[in-house]
Amino acid sequence: MIGAGVLWWLSAPDDITRPYAADVTPDIQAGALVFAAGGCASCHAAPEAKGDAKLHLAGGLAFDSDFGTFYAPNISSDAAAGIGTWTLEDFARAVTKGVSPQGRHYYPAFPYTAYARMTPQDVADLHAYMATLPADATPSKPHDVGFPFNIRRSVGLWKFMFSDTRDVLTDAQTPQIARGRYLVEGLSHCGECHTPRNALGALDRNAWLSGAANPSGKGRIPGITPAQLDWSEADLIEYLTSGFTPDYDSAGGKMADVVANLAQLPEADRAAIAAYLKALP
Amino acid sequence: MTGFTKTILGTGLCAALIASAGFAASHSSVTNKAVAARHAQMQMIGYHTGVLGAIAKGEMEYDSAMVDAAATNLRELAKLDGTTMWVAGTEQGATDGSRAKAEIWSDAAGFAQKFTDLENAASAMIGAADAAAVGAAMGGIGGSCKGCHQDYRGPKS
């Protein structure tokens, strides 16, 4: 009985500090850049959407995993199907704690363990920007997940065991590297694909960015530490801008979306990502 | 052409060639000849894109003949009749070294359009009058590479 009580307590949904971002003035234009850096549309736009259609966040994209199939939900500004009625507090709790306004855990296919590092300013800017995007009435598709992962409370235990929001690169020598760390480890959540996972789907921080199995089953996501990728900082910046590798191959698959997103950021941000990657052990 | 220009061009070409050799070596496990042939096509596309990219970035001196030759070759490479190379049953997983997605065959018209996109982007490069113009036209070429790799190429094995 006590054991069950402890489990229940450990698995309880976290809350944010309230009031949230009380001294912050949301900036919609800055929010557009947060939206790009966070890669929101890459998962939440309707599958196969191109161009401006990527701003219709109807959801529906399927994510196969060992635990079942997750479907990205509708996060458009629609009041019923999307998140149009969410307050900034609702939004911040969802994005940084992985908890819905109703107090339910989200599955970590949603990279809130990375977004947990987002500054209140960035969260507020993003919230303000997303309110300006089109409403879409497409209902979210239920996840197709088997027992015991279909018990949402179990996600709380997963978070207790694996949600580690401390810096991986503990010693950022320059402000530029620190900015790169914020993007790579946090907002742009590079580790979600480039870092291997354990049997329960948690990131192996000891093998940070060293490459991983492709969740879709075919091939591998490459390692991007200096030991595995000998590109110069200029090579990295070029790749994150145009998608060209040093030998003029080009980014494809999901990474092509990532490049399209990162290309919208100021060059200083791409340079910060490059500096961070070169600073990894 | 001055000796200096030749040195610059030569250095750039050697760098591109070495890079291409690396690309070829990464496909050494290929056993299917059709797969090997289309990798050769991609290597040629990468090489000529590299020449243009080096000029756009100022790593190689602008030379109109070199730009037009690279762009023309790219255009012709995009126009190759793929019937002999994109043979059904050679998708990723079915034969070693292939990263071709099944959509190449299930959506043949969409796939063909990607080569048309490259052909058009390469045509737009021909006559680029200076390094800045080459750089501006690179966007179209890069976009066509990306557009196809995004939809029709699987991840590294």
Side-chain angles (χ1 to χ4, degrees):
Chain A
M1 229 11 236
I2 293 170
V6 169
L7 286 181
W8 190 251
W9 176 70
L10 288 178
S11 64
D14 268 1
D15 201 2
I16 49 167
T17 310
R18 296 174 190 256
Y20 184 85
D23 54 346
V24 158
T25 308
D27 179 336
I28 290 174
Q29 279 183 309
L33 296 181
V34 176
F35 183 80
C40 310
S42 301
C43 290
H44 289 281
E48 311 297 327
K50 307 258 174 180
D52 283 350
K54 292 220 107 179
L55 299 178
H56 286 258
L57 304 175
L61 190 63
F63 296 85
D64 294 324
S65 78
D66 294 341
F67 315 103
T69 301
F70 301 102
Y71 294 94
N74 183 329
I75 57 165
S76 77
S77 58
D78 191 82
I83 63 170
T85 61
W86 287 17
T87 64
L88 173 59
E89 279 77 14
D90 290 340
F91 183 77
R93 192 182 189 197
V95 169
T96 66
K97 300 292 183 186
V99 177
S100 76
Q102 294 76 33
R104 290 183 85 202
H105 291 295
Y106 290 120
Y107 290 108
F110 176 24
Y112 48 76
T113 53
Y115 292 155
R117 297 144 177 264
M118 284 174 69
T119 62
Q121 178 77 59
D122 276 359
V123 173
D125 292 350
L126 179 61
H127 180 244
Y129 171 71
M130 285 175 64
T132 69
L133 296 180
D136 188 298
T138 310
S140 295
K141 205 169 167 180
H143 302 308
D144 183 9
V145 179
F147 183 84
F149 307 108
N150 56 352
I151 301 173
R152 289 284 184 137
R153 197 81 185 196
S154 67
V155 176
L157 290 178
W158 186 94
K159 286 180 180 173
F160 172 73
M161 290 196 293
F162 299 123
S163 179
D164 188 345
T165 58
R166 292 170 301 173
D167 293 333
V168 180
L169 182 72
T170 49
D171 185 19
Q173 297 275 352
T174 66
Q176 186 187 43
I177 293 172
R179 173 65 182 168
R181 177 174 64 190
Y182 177 74
L183 291 168
V184 173
E185 297 186 9
L187 184 52
S188 304
H189 58 278
C190 309
E192 296 289 315
C193 289
H194 288 281
T195 299
R197 292 173 185 275
N198 69 15
L200 287 172
L203 296 180
D204 179 359
R205 290 162 60 96
N206 295 319
W208 186 245
L209 300 180
S210 66
N214 184 0
S216 80
K218 281 184 185 155
R220 282 187 66 78
I221 312 289
I224 52 175
T225 66
Q228 289 148 311
L229 190 64
D230 62 358
W231 298 359
S232 69
E233 284 189 42
D235 290 340
L236 289 164
I237 295 168
E238 174 68 24
Y239 180 73
L240 298 174
T241 308
S242 70
F244 281 127
T245 67
D247 58 354
Y248 286 89
D249 192 355
S250 84
K254 300 282 185 210
M255 195 60 201
D257 282 334
V258 175
V259 169
N261 290 332
L262 297 181
Q264 297 171 43
L265 304 183
E267 171 146 340
D269 278 345
R270 292 187 294 277
I273 292 171
Y276 167 88
L277 291 176
K278 298 303 278 186
L280 286 172
Chain B
M1 195 186 294
T2 67
F4 177 69
T5 308
K6 273 186 182 160
T7 307
I8 300 262
L9 281 176
T11 308
L13 286 172
C14 284
L17 281 168
I18 290 163
S20 303
F23 180 78
S26 68
H27 291 93
S28 56
S29 64
V30 171
T31 50
N32 183 292
K33 287 183 176 175
V35 175
R38 62 200 195 215
H39 286 176
Q41 178 190 16
M42 291 301 148
Q43 189 184 339
M44 289 283 276
I45 289 171
Y47 168 71
H48 289 92
T49 307
V51 170
L52 295 165
I55 291 171
K57 286 197 272 185
E59 295 166 2
M60 199 189 284
E61 197 168 314
Y62 172 82
D63 179 284
S64 65
M66 188 64 76
V67 169
D68 287 356
T72 304
N73 283 352
L74 261 186
R75 185 189 65 192
E76 297 306 311
L77 284 161
K79 284 163 68 177
L80 288 184
D81 186 327
T83 311
T84 52
M85 293 182 285
W86 303 95
V87 180
T90 58
E91 73 274 15
Q92 186 167 28
T95 180
D96 287 345
S98 173
R99 290 170 65 189
K101 286 171 89 167
E103 284 80 355
I104 288 172
W105 293 276
S106 64
D107 176 24
F111 182 60
Q113 180 61 44
K114 300 297 183 185
F115 278 106
T116 306
D117 292 346
L118 176 59
E119 184 186 330
N120 292 337
S123 296
M125 175 68 81
I126 298 171
D130 56 26
V134 173
M138 279 303 282
I141 291 173
S144 64
C145 297
K146 180 196 125 176
C148 191
H149 288 159
Q150 186 164 23
D151 293 347
Y152 298 102
R153 182 174 68 168
K156 280 197 178 109
S157 298

